[in-house]
Amino acid sequence: MDTLSEELQNFLIRLGKEPNCVSKKVEHYIKHLIRLLPVNDEKAMKDYYGLFGSPVKPLCDVAHERKVSEDIMLKIMENNLRKIAVTPEWQMIKQIIK
């Protein structure tokens, strides 16, 4: 995983564990950022990271729901992180949260 994706992943893990770590405005931006993904991928991200009130689900559960192997699900998640991490929207949000 590249540095940009890892940075986003660390933020999403933190947001899932501590939903009040950011303002409602930033949370709103993150919701819109996640919506850039296809619906199934959006749900997988919310479930895996426990975002916006979703309980955290292990990768094996997310993969099972999608009917794919854990390895494939991990690649899907990494690809989605990369797609989001390179957007101008995420770069703007990073500036707000720093």
Side-chain angles (χ1 to χ4, degrees), residues 11-12 15-16 18-35 46 50-54 90 93 96-97:
F11 173 76
L12 293 176
L15 182 60
E18 304 170 32
N20 296 323
C21 70
V22 296
S23 68
K24 292 295 180 189
K25 179 180 175 181
V26 170
E27 182 180 332
H28 178 76
Y29 291 158
I30 297 298
K31 284 179 182 178
H32 281 282
L33 191 62
I34 300 293
R35 287 188 188 128
K46 287 178 185 177
L51 301 174
F52 319 120
S54 297
W90 169 242
I93 293 168
I96 293 171
I97 60 177

Side-chain angles (χ1 to χ4, degrees), residues 32-44:
H32 281 282
L33 191 62
I34 300 293
R35 287 188 188 128
L36 294 173
L37 300 171
V39 174
N40 285 344
D41 292 345
E42 177 185 344
K43 182 181 181 331

Side-chain angles (χ1 to χ4, degrees), residues 42-50 54-57 62 65:
E42 177 185 344
K43 182 181 181 331
M45 295 287 278
K46 287 178 185 177
D47 289 346
Y48 184 69
Y49 293 105
S54 297
V56 175
K57 289 186 180 178
V62 176
E65 287 177 7

